[in-house]
Amino acid sequence: MTLEKVYEPQRFEPRWAEAWIAGGYFTPPEKKQDGREVFSLVIPPPNVTGSLHIGHMLEHTEIDATIRWRRMRGDQTLWLPGQDHAGIATQMVVERALREKEGLSRHDLGREEFVRRVWQWKEQYGGAIIHQMKRTGASCDWTRNRFTLDPGLSRAVRETFVRLYEKGLIYRGEYMVNWCPRCHTALSDLEVVHEEAPGNLWHIRYPVKDMPGRFVTVATTRPETMLGDTAVCVNPGDERYRDLHGRTVVLPLVNREIPVITDPLADPKFGTGVVKVTPAHDPNDFEAGRRHNLPHVAVIGLDARMTAAAGAYAGLDRFEARTRVLADLEAQGLLEKTEAYALSAGRCQRCKTIVEPLVSTQWFCRMKPLAEPAIRAVEDGRIRIVPESYAKTYFEWMHNIRDWCVSRQLWWGHRIPAWHCAGCGQVTVSREDPAACAHCGSPRIEQDPDVLDTWFSSGLWPFSTLGWPDRTADLETYYPTTLLITGFDILFFWVARMIMLGIECTGDVPFRTVYIHGLVRDAHRQKMSKTRGNTIDPLEVIEQYGTDAVRFALLRGAAPGMDIALSEERMASSRAFANKIWNAARFLFLQMEKVGLGQLPLGEPPREVAKPCAIAGAVPLEDRWIRHKLNEAAARMEQAQLSYRYHEAADIVWTFLWDDFCDWYVEIKKLRVQQGVEPRAHVETMAETFELALRLLHPLMPFITEELWQRLAAKDARRPESICIAPCPQPGGAADEEAARRFGLLQSMVTAARALRADNRVDPGARVDGWIESMSTDVQSVAASEAAVIDALAGGAFELNPAARPAGVRRAAADFAVGLKLSGAQIDSIRQRVQKRLAELEKVIASSRRQLSSGSFIAKAPAHVVEGIREKLAAYEKELAEQQAVLAELGL
RNA sequence: GGGCGGUUAGCUCAGUUGGUCAGAGCGCGUGCCUUACAAGCACGAGGCCGCAGGUUCGAGCCCUGCACCGCCCACCA
């Protein structure tokens, strides 16, 4: 069972990824099993537009770390994977590919053929995503993989749409929507991103009818829309314009007479206090237009070109039209002034084209009635959002929610289940494709050409994937899901809608907890972006550092809402950690061979966190200590996992394995083996401890732990086939504070001794005889003499004598002074250390005493706090006495 | 305009109910190729914990204000 000298993760990682899936460890049963907690989570389905980026890997690693830990904890665990058809995004990339490769537009192919092409794309890239996820060790149940356009999920979409329609929550109507002239579709408010950009505020004079020489000056950022003005508006309370009430103005360039209206729309403090009203091209004006029954004059069309209604400007692009309108106004002396003005332009989230507010007929979902129960669910804690600060963002948005435009003029997506009748003109909305109009019976019906917003189907994801609307066993068992891990960027797009639709459709919340992760940034905290060129390709770094190292590097920075700075250094040091573990195992295996120990017979996993070394009648201090440390690590791991502090989980295993296990425990065991007293027993305890440490680490670094565990543990009928399903170390083992304290003392003595040795080098005048060259020999030398530190502290060969402790400490100090022939300078050095500590102790003791004597504190502080301070004070005083004793010995 | 987060060692970050919390990784300095690991080992240097007040016996930690940095939301023409 020798181990290759070099740690080469690429040699075993892909193999285990396949073996795990083949073993079926990630596929839980449909029915709930007695005595097991259910832990379920649905993946935020990646878009099928391309391959996964490092942000996905962070998300999947966080999910996987939790899922694997839950599985090892014994929970009935489901991680359901899948992909999203991502309507507009996917249609866009396929159209682009089509244009670039074949020079065709989707219209050249026709709807049916185009959709077929997108499916082809999906097969190719969806597969790539799955492959990538498997390679990162994601422990998904691939037998339950879902796609938002699967027949089952499509049925859920229809069911939901029809239900909402029947409840009057979905309606069709002519309203102002955000229109992307490039994508040629309506967009929801969320799909429009606002960017501030420099612009101008133009002041334009409109002549007032029947008042020669009287003009009213409006201020606008979009002069081209004036062609569609159907009123000008002043604030009713604005005295400056009282004479205009009831008047009519003549719209320049088109010479249309339009009324002056009074409406709060006009803010007297802004611009000139007069606003032009274009109901067809501005959301505010649209509303004002309804209030005042103004006609609509649409001068900009779906292609962002001026319509026939724009008269002389017809056919011009909207921005060309702006230039021309301004020039013409200027020529007529109607352009009063041009003022620089920063304005925020709404752009299409996908293609960055400036969206055009246009009036068109679309399908909408009424949100207020859906939002109310969703708000309550978070308020009353049925859903917990982590970090909590995002709950506030959630409430803010939900309280101001507006109706959702759900129809898209795309071809790729869920076709809206509505049929228009050529006979009576009415709409039939139906779960099944109808043969005839439900109102007049005419067979001349045609399905609505639009598809649904892609987020509509995503909003059903937690239950549509489990079989809803059928009452499947999966749904019964795994819904509501336990946890959702996702990014803040889709809190409104997705999370909020899942909560609303989940409650509406199933009557229950879709998940209990929402964990929001941060962004992966580069080494300098810059956002990653293709244009910056600082992106990290997961597969590339996996190839370079190994999956475990990349996962670990990500987790080392992961906590709720925290952005993560991922650098080459961090991945390199994580790989160093993996390498360290690899080599620890290598050493262990060599030792096991040497003492004639084969693989560890595991059998039933130990309930106790680690067994002590079976040496006749005595438990070596280091065994008591390492068990204590492992117990502590297991307990802290549970806390870290429960609060999603992955960075802490990573820190716990790092410190335990590297600092405690490798640097101290193994080094001391080397000595024990050299001492020759029952070496086999020592090696065996060491191996058992390591085995448990591997389990503790497995959720974070699944591959290396599996590889080593398989080699370490003998096949046995009772042994789990994979570490994936081996029980993890559970907290609750006996804490051994005494061993921890004594070992801590040993550590500080050894460290002090080493420092002295280093100092000694600098000062050639004072040589220390028999000093060791390195850590291992350090301990060896110390342990070699009967009076040396370990044994001194142990107060015997192996076991500590509690009563002998203070004396033991003094003895150790004396041994250092006498046995090691310390120079005066060196003794001074130790004295300084001790004195520094004494000063600290005195300070904290004085402070504690003062606190305890403070009447106001005693009165105000809770009893347990006071008690805690008393206990600490006692401990400080005890340590003070001990340190003083050390000082006295040194003073010899 | 509203809201949220950040500011701790040269760099990237921990620090969970205020009291052994001044820490980690990388980097840096010194000494070690020691038969698990040089992707390593040992030791060390380095920080008015953004600034100014306040609460407290005691403040990276709580309160107030300020200064930068970042993010989200918003229909002010």
Side-chain angles (χ1 to χ4, degrees):
Chain A
M1 58 187 273
T2 48
L3 204 54
E4 299 74 36
K5 193 169 167 72
V6 186
Y7 165 58
E8 284 175 319
Q10 293 76 12
R11 290 180 47 170
F12 55 82
E13 286 180 352
R15 200 178 68 230
W16 286 120
E18 282 170 29
W20 288 330
I21 293 163
Y25 311 128
F26 308 150
T27 302
E30 289 186 357
K31 291 246 161 58
K32 163 132 175 50
Q33 295 179 316
D34 288 341
R36 294 180 78 189
E37 241 178 85
V38 169
F39 189 92
S40 59
L41 177 152
V42 291
I43 196 172
N47 293 352
V48 287
T49 42
S51 57
L52 301 181
H53 53 73
I54 195 76
H56 289 112
M57 187 166 171
L58 167 68
E59 187 168 279
H60 298 164
T61 302
E62 288 178 327
I63 294 173
D64 195 55
T66 292
I67 287 283
R68 282 180 185 272
W69 177 71
R70 286 283 178 173
R71 195 179 290 117
M72 292 178 81
R73 204 165 160 262
D75 294 356
Q76 186 173 333
T77 307
L78 171 65
W79 176 6
L80 188 146
Q83 299 79 39
D84 196 300
H85 70 281
I88 190 167
T90 308
Q91 175 161 330
M92 238 179 81
V93 293
V94 175
E95 276 187 280
R96 188 167 56 218
L98 198 60
R99 194 169 56 242
E100 284 168 5
K101 290 201 188 104
E102 304 174 46
L104 297 173
S105 80
R106 68 175 207 252
H107 299 284
D108 294 329
L109 292 183
R111 183 162 186 157
E112 205 170 311
E113 173 61 13
F114 177 76
V115 168
R116 206 181 60 78
R117 294 291 190 95
V118 188
W119 272 104
Q120 275 178 3
W121 173 283
K122 181 263 168 186
E123 293 309 326
Q124 186 181 344
Y125 286 92
I129 287 168
I130 292 170
H131 166 77
Q132 246 180 317
M133 286 189 63
K134 287 178 179 171
R135 186 66 186 81
T136 60
S139 61
C140 308
D141 176 8
W142 293 106
T143 68
R144 287 182 171 90
N145 188 46
R146 299 285 186 270
F147 180 56
T148 45
L149 285 173
D150 282 349
L153 279 75
S154 299
R155 197 158 72 86
V157 166
R158 270 205 185 188
E159 176 67 29
T160 305
F161 187 94
V162 174
R163 277 196 199 181
L164 292 174
Y165 180 78
E166 286 169 351
K167 284 180 81 170
L169 291 174
I170 278 184
Y171 61 94
R172 187 168 183 261
E174 197 178 23
Y175 296 94
M176 177 145 288
V177 293
N178 309 293
W179 182 266
C180 175
R182 222 263 346 140
C183 300
H184 226 265
T185 179
L187 301 173
S188 69
D189 296 334
L190 283 176
E191 288 163 296
V192 177
V193 289
H194 294 271
E195 270 175 36
E196 191 136 297
N200 290 310
L201 192 59
W202 286 280
H203 294 242
I204 303 167
R205 300 207 282 195
Y206 288 7
V208 181
K209 193 188 172 198
D210 299 333
M211 289 177 82
R214 178 78 163 96
F215 292 91
V216 54
T217 306
V218 301
T220 181
T221 55
R222 298 203 57 192
E224 69 280 12
T225 63
M226 69 169 285
L227 304 170
D229 285 0
T230 53
V232 297
C233 171
V234 298
N235 190 286
D238 194 339
E239 293 305 323
R240 291 174 294 176
Y241 302 111
R242 187 152 296 275
D243 64 323
L244 294 179
H245 292 191
R247 288 281 181 171
T248 300
V249 298
V250 180
L251 188 61
L253 307 183
V254 288
N255 290 319
R256 187 163 65 237
E257 294 186 4
I258 56 176
V260 176
I261 60 168
T262 58
D263 193 278
L265 172 72
D267 175 0
K269 290 190 289 296
F270 186 91
T272 60
V274 187
V275 58
K276 59 194 267 317
V277 184
T278 323
H281 295 294
D282 181 276
N284 285 321
D285 297 4
F286 179 80
E287 292 301 323
R290 305 187 103 191
R291 288 194 291 271
H292 296 270
N293 267 322
L294 297 174
H296 287 196
V297 176
V299 291
I300 301 174
L302 298 179
D303 53 1
R305 291 186 174 276
M306 306 309 284
T307 63
Y313 304 90
L316 289 178
D317 172 80
R318 53 187 163 162
F319 298 113
E320 291 168 7
R322 174 180 301 177
T323 314
R324 286 275 298 279
V325 163
L326 286 169
D328 292 346
L329 288 170
E330 177 90 74
Q332 296 182 25
L334 295 173
L335 186 58
E336 194 172 291
K337 69 170 173 177
T338 304
E339 195 182 337
Y341 184 74
L343 74 160
S344 80
R347 291 174 185 274
C348 171
Q349 184 195 27
R350 294 291 161 194
C351 72
K352 307 301 177 213
T353 305
I354 292 180
V355 300
E356 193 59 47
L358 288 178
V359 175
S360 75
T361 302
Q362 301 287 347
W363 291 88
F364 295 87
C365 182
R366 237 181 272 287
M367 299 309 276
K368 279 259 181 272
L370 294 175
E372 280 163 20
I375 289 168
R376 280 199 299 277
V378 176
E379 274 175 348
D380 65 23
R382 273 175 295 148
I383 295 177
R384 192 165 69 98
I385 299 181
V386 197
E388 222 173 324
S389 57
Y390 279 105
K392 196 165 180 177
T393 313
Y394 170 82
F395 289 134
E396 183 66 20
W397 189 73
M398 291 293 265
H399 280 299
N400 298 305
I401 199 161
R402 305 188 332 157
D403 285 0
W404 174 19
C405 174
V406 293
S407 47
R408 296 289 178 278
Q409 289 63 53
L410 304 171
W411 288 351
W412 176 241
H414 297 276
R415 189 100 173 241
I416 289 177
W419 284 260
H420 302 285
C421 178
C424 66
Q426 302 229 64
V427 174
T428 304
V429 169
S430 165
R431 288 174 177 81
E432 308 298 333
D433 292 11
C437 174
H439 305 90
C440 70
S442 163
R444 289 164 55 220
I445 54 169
E446 207 163 317
Q447 187 169 10
D448 195 296
D450 292 354
V451 299
L452 285 165
D453 181 0
T454 197
W455 295 103
F456 192 91
S457 56
S458 318
L460 315 178
W461 186 251
F463 44 99
S464 64
T465 51
L466 293 171
W468 188 89
D470 292 337
R471 292 176 56 108
T472 59
D474 265 1
L475 194 68
E476 289 291 319
T477 306
Y478 298 107
Y479 190 89
T481 62
T482 319
L483 174 68
L484 179 80
I485 293 188
T486 189
F488 62 86
D489 51 332
I490 50 177
L491 182 62
F492 306 140
F493 276 112
W494 192 46
V495 180
R497 283 159 180 171
M498 276 192 289
I499 297 175
M500 291 187 279
L501 292 172
I503 294 173
E504 171 65 24
C505 292
T506 72
D508 205 344
V509 295
F511 29 72
R512 306 285 185 206
T513 301
V514 181
Y515 166 95
I516 310 277
H517 65 240
L519 244 45
V520 181
R521 295 169 177 275
D522 73 5
H524 305 288
R525 291 193 64 69
Q526 294 290 307
K527 242 184 192 169
M528 287 190 184
S529 72
K530 290 211 177 84
T531 48
R532 276 201 187 87
N534 60 349
T535 54
I536 291 178
D537 176 20
L539 287 183
E540 222 170 80
V541 288
I542 280 174
E543 193 53 42
Q544 196 179 346
Y545 297 99
T547 309
D548 283 330
V550 178
R551 285 173 60 116
F552 200 79
L554 287 165
L555 291 173
R556 279 168 77 186
M562 284 297 225
D563 286 354
I564 289 155
L566 183 66
S567 57
E568 297 281 330
E569 287 77 17
R570 187 153 271 218
M571 289 185 281
S573 70
S574 297
R575 182 185 51 187
F577 176 57
N579 183 57
K580 185 73 184 175
I581 294 159
W582 184 264
N583 280 292
R586 190 159 170 270
F587 171 75
L588 201 55
F589 293 168
L590 290 172
Q591 295 299 310
M592 288 167 78
E593 267 186 1
K594 239 183 233 173
V595 299
L597 185 66
Q599 289 177 308
L600 276 188
L602 281 189
E604 280 297 304
R607 280 263 60 99
E608 274 277 306
V609 154
K611 284 192 297 187
C613 187
I615 290 175
V619 176
L621 177 63
E622 72 274 12
D623 281 327
R624 287 177 56 191
W625 171 75
I626 201 73
R627 287 167 60 201
H628 176 264
K629 281 292 182 183
L630 189 52
N631 269 319
E632 194 180 64
R636 291 182 57 211
M637 176 62 75
E638 172 154 289
Q639 286 313 307
Q641 281 280 6
L642 290 175
S643 50
Y644 312 104
R645 291 198 293 261
Y646 299 100
H647 71 282
E648 203 172 290
D651 186 62
I652 289 163
V653 286
W654 178 295
T655 307
F656 177 76
L657 268 159
W658 200 320
D659 297 356
D660 297 337
F661 185 80
C662 288
D663 288 350
W664 286 98
Y665 184 69
V666 169
E667 292 301 332
I668 288 174
K669 281 302 184 198
K670 272 184 189 168
L671 279 174
R672 297 293 195 197
V673 171
Q674 277 170 23
Q675 282 173 350
V677 183
E678 300 196 36
R680 186 181 159 122
H682 287 291
V683 171
E684 195 173 323
T685 351
M686 197 166 28
E688 278 167 359
T689 308
F690 187 66
E691 190 271 325
L692 288 166
L694 287 178
R695 299 194 199 194
L696 197 66
L697 175 61
H698 179 258
L700 313 184
M701 296 183 120
F703 294 106
I704 188 174
T705 47
E706 178 76 286
E707 176 72 16
L708 297 176
W709 193 80
Q710 293 289 346
R711 298 199 194 202
L712 182 65
K715 296 250 186 293
D716 182 288
R718 293 173 305 169
R719 195 204 80 174
E721 284 173 23
S722 161
I723 193 173
C724 294
I725 49 172
C728 62
Q730 303 257 356
D736 193 342
E737 302 293 344
E738 182 63 15
R741 207 155 45 88
R742 291 181 197 184
F743 199 86
L745 217 50
L746 165 79
Q747 288 178 306
S748 56
M749 294 308 276
V750 171
T751 302
R754 286 172 183 158
L756 287 174
R757 173 186 142 280
D759 291 347
N760 191 43
R761 294 272 162 156
V762 181
D763 175 11
R767 282 187 58 246
V768 175
D769 294 350
W771 252 151
I772 9 208
E773 296 303 314
S774 68
M775 200 245 136
S776 56
T777 40
D778 254 352
V779 180
Q780 180 174 28
S781 159
V782 168
S785 82
E786 170 57 31
V789 177
I790 294 178
D791 293 340
L793 288 173
F798 296 106
E799 179 56 302
L800 286 172
N801 176 359
R805 183 163 166 269
V809 173
R810 281 199 294 281
R811 205 175 128 209
D815 287 343
F816 271 89
V818 178
L820 305 174
K821 298 178 188 166
L822 296 182
S823 68
Q826 290 166 338
I827 290 176
D828 281 348
S829 169
I830 289 189
R831 188 182 288 125
Q832 274 170 22
R833 282 164 192 275
V834 175
Q835 277 170 342
K836 189 179 164 199
R837 180 63 189 144
L838 283 176
E840 286 169 11
L841 283 168
E842 275 161 12
K843 211 171 108 189
V844 69
I845 286 171
S847 160
S848 301
R849 281 186 180 146
R850 233 180 304 133
Q851 184 172 14
L852 288 173
S853 63
S854 153
S856 65
F857 169 74
I858 301 291
K860 276 185 276 182
H864 71 273
V865 172
V866 177
E867 196 45 45
I869 293 168
R870 282 218 176 86
E871 278 169 19
K872 275 182 179 173
L873 179 60
Y876 295 151
E877 285 172 335
K878 203 170 159 196
E879 193 190 339
L880 185 76
E882 286 167 1
Q883 296 282 357
Q884 280 169 342
V886 170
L887 202 58
E889 290 290 341
L890 287 173
L892 284 177

